[in-house]
Amino acid sequence: MMLLRKYMSLLGVGSALIDLILPKSHYHKGELIKGHFLIKGGTIEQRLRRIECDLMRIDHKTEKETVVDTVTILSSKVIHSEETNHLHFTFQLPETLTPSSQSISYRFKTRLVFNEGVESKDLDIIYVH
C-alpha cells in the first residue's frame, strides 16, 4: 500500500499542496505585501526542495505573460503526511508597475517543488492601483 501511495504522489496524486494566503487582493505600487504560504501534507511524507513564487504580468491585448519578479525559498524540510505548515511571505511591489486594467492584470504563480520532481501549483490574482 505504501509503495502505491509513493508512486501516486510521484504522479501528483496525493501530493502536498501549497496555497498563498494574502490579507487582501488590492495593492498600491511600491507596497510591501505580507502573507503566508499554507502547505498541507499529502498521503505520504515528501522532502521539500523549494518554493518559487513569480509575480506575473499579463497583457490581455497581446496575450503575453512576463515575470515581473520572483521569490524563491530554498528548503530541505520534510512535509509529513496530513501535516499543515505556515511559511511567511513578503514581497515588495515595484514602484514602476502599470496599474491593473482591462488589458493588464497581475497574479502570483506559486510552485512547491519536491526532491522527486513533483510540483504543486497555486495562482492568486492581485489588483495594482
Side-chain angles (χ1 to χ4, degrees):
M1 187 65 173
M2 197 63 194
L3 192 59
L4 177 61
R5 283 185 183 169
K6 181 173 180 157
Y7 283 116
M8 287 182 69
S9 74
L10 288 173
L11 297 171
V13 178
S15 286
L17 299 173
I18 189 162
D19 188 13
L20 174 58
I21 308 294
L22 299 173
K24 58 185 183 175
S25 58
H26 292 260
Y27 295 92
H28 295 284
K29 296 187 289 184
E31 189 171 344
L32 181 65
I33 298 175
K34 291 183 179 184
H36 69 273
F37 295 110
L38 177 64
I39 303 168
K40 293 182 181 177
T43 53
I44 65 163
E45 74 176 35
Q46 293 175 285
R47 183 168 296 279
L48 177 61
R49 228 171 52 204
R50 67 184 178 277
I51 298 170
E52 299 171 348
C53 188
D54 300 328
L55 177 61
M56 306 297 297
R57 178 185 189 268
I58 299 94
D59 185 328
H60 297 283
K61 289 180 182 170
T62 62
E63 296 185 14
K64 185 178 173 189
E65 275 191 43
T66 52
V67 177
V68 175
D69 203 358
T70 301
V71 172
T72 302
I73 300 170
L74 299 175
S75 175
S76 60
K77 180 171 178 41
V78 172
I79 307 298
H80 296 283
S81 173
E82 310 299 326
E83 174 183 56
T84 301
N85 289 281
H86 298 266
L87 276 173
H88 293 287
F89 169 79
T90 57
F91 187 91
Q92 183 77 50
L93 286 177
E95 293 280 356
T96 56
L97 288 182
T98 305
S100 297
S101 64
Q102 284 188 322
S103 59
I104 300 291
S105 66
Y106 296 94
R107 68 176 170 227
F108 283 108
K109 188 186 285 187
T110 307
R111 288 177 305 285
L112 190 58
V113 182
F114 301 100
N115 272 355
E116 296 83 19
V118 178
E119 291 186 350
S120 171
K121 298 179 182 179
D122 180 43
L123 290 176
D124 294 275
I125 295 170
I126 64 166
Y127 302 93
V128 177
H129 304 287

mmCIF file of all heavy atoms in Angstrom, residues 60 100-105:
data_model
loop_
_atom_site.group_PDB
_atom_site.id
_atom_site.type_symbol
_atom_site.label_atom_id
_atom_site.label_comp_id
_atom_site.label_asym_id
_atom_site.label_seq_id
_atom_site.Cartn_x
_atom_site.Cartn_y
_atom_site.Cartn_z
ATOM 1 N N HIS A 60 -3.411 41.374 -21.787
ATOM 2 C CA HIS A 60 -4.507 40.667 -22.442
ATOM 3 C C HIS A 60 -4.653 41.030 -23.920
ATOM 4 O O HIS A 60 -5.261 40.267 -24.681
ATOM 5 C CB HIS A 60 -5.821 40.918 -21.685
ATOM 6 C CG HIS A 60 -5.760 40.384 -20.288
ATOM 7 N ND1 HIS A 60 -5.890 39.048 -19.996
ATOM 8 C CD2 HIS A 60 -5.551 41.015 -19.103
ATOM 9 C CE1 HIS A 60 -5.776 38.871 -18.693
ATOM 10 N NE2 HIS A 60 -5.559 40.040 -18.116
ATOM 11 N N SER A 100 -3.373 47.871 -12.719
ATOM 12 C CA SER A 100 -4.266 46.872 -13.303
ATOM 13 C C SER A 100 -5.359 47.569 -14.104
ATOM 14 O O SER A 100 -5.815 48.651 -13.736
ATOM 15 C CB SER A 100 -4.916 46.028 -12.201
ATOM 16 O OG SER A 100 -3.952 45.302 -11.482
ATOM 17 N N SER A 101 -5.770 46.946 -15.198
ATOM 18 C CA SER A 101 -6.821 47.497 -16.059
ATOM 19 C C SER A 101 -7.466 46.329 -16.792
ATOM 20 O O SER A 101 -7.151 45.170 -16.523
ATOM 21 C CB SER A 101 -6.217 48.495 -17.046
ATOM 22 O OG SER A 101 -5.328 47.822 -17.920
ATOM 23 N N GLN A 102 -8.328 46.644 -17.752
ATOM 24 C CA GLN A 102 -8.927 45.566 -18.548
ATOM 25 C C GLN A 102 -7.876 44.846 -19.376
ATOM 26 O O GLN A 102 -8.009 43.665 -19.650
ATOM 27 C CB GLN A 102 -10.024 46.111 -19.465
ATOM 28 C CG GLN A 102 -11.308 46.432 -18.727
ATOM 29 C CD GLN A 102 -12.417 46.783 -19.693
ATOM 30 O OE1 GLN A 102 -12.184 47.446 -20.707
ATOM 31 N NE2 GLN A 102 -13.629 46.355 -19.376
ATOM 32 N N SER A 103 -6.809 45.555 -19.744
ATOM 33 C CA SER A 103 -5.795 44.937 -20.603
ATOM 34 C C SER A 103 -4.574 44.426 -19.837
ATOM 35 O O SER A 103 -3.814 43.629 -20.364
ATOM 36 C CB SER A 103 -5.354 45.914 -21.691
ATOM 37 O OG SER A 103 -4.835 47.086 -21.120
ATOM 38 N N ILE A 104 -4.368 44.883 -18.570
ATOM 39 C CA ILE A 104 -3.211 44.460 -17.776
ATOM 40 C C ILE A 104 -3.690 43.859 -16.454
ATOM 41 O O ILE A 104 -4.490 44.465 -15.747
ATOM 42 C CB ILE A 104 -2.270 45.649 -17.456
ATOM 43 C CG1 ILE A 104 -1.728 46.308 -18.727
ATOM 44 C CG2 ILE A 104 -1.121 45.206 -16.538
ATOM 45 C CD1 ILE A 104 -0.754 45.461 -19.522
ATOM 46 N N SER A 105 -3.210 42.661 -16.144
ATOM 47 C CA SER A 105 -3.527 42.065 -14.841
ATOM 48 C C SER A 105 -2.280 41.407 -14.273
ATOM 49 O O SER A 105 -1.288 41.180 -14.982
ATOM 50 C CB SER A 105 -4.677 41.064 -14.964
ATOM 51 O OG SER A 105 -4.291 39.950 -15.731
#
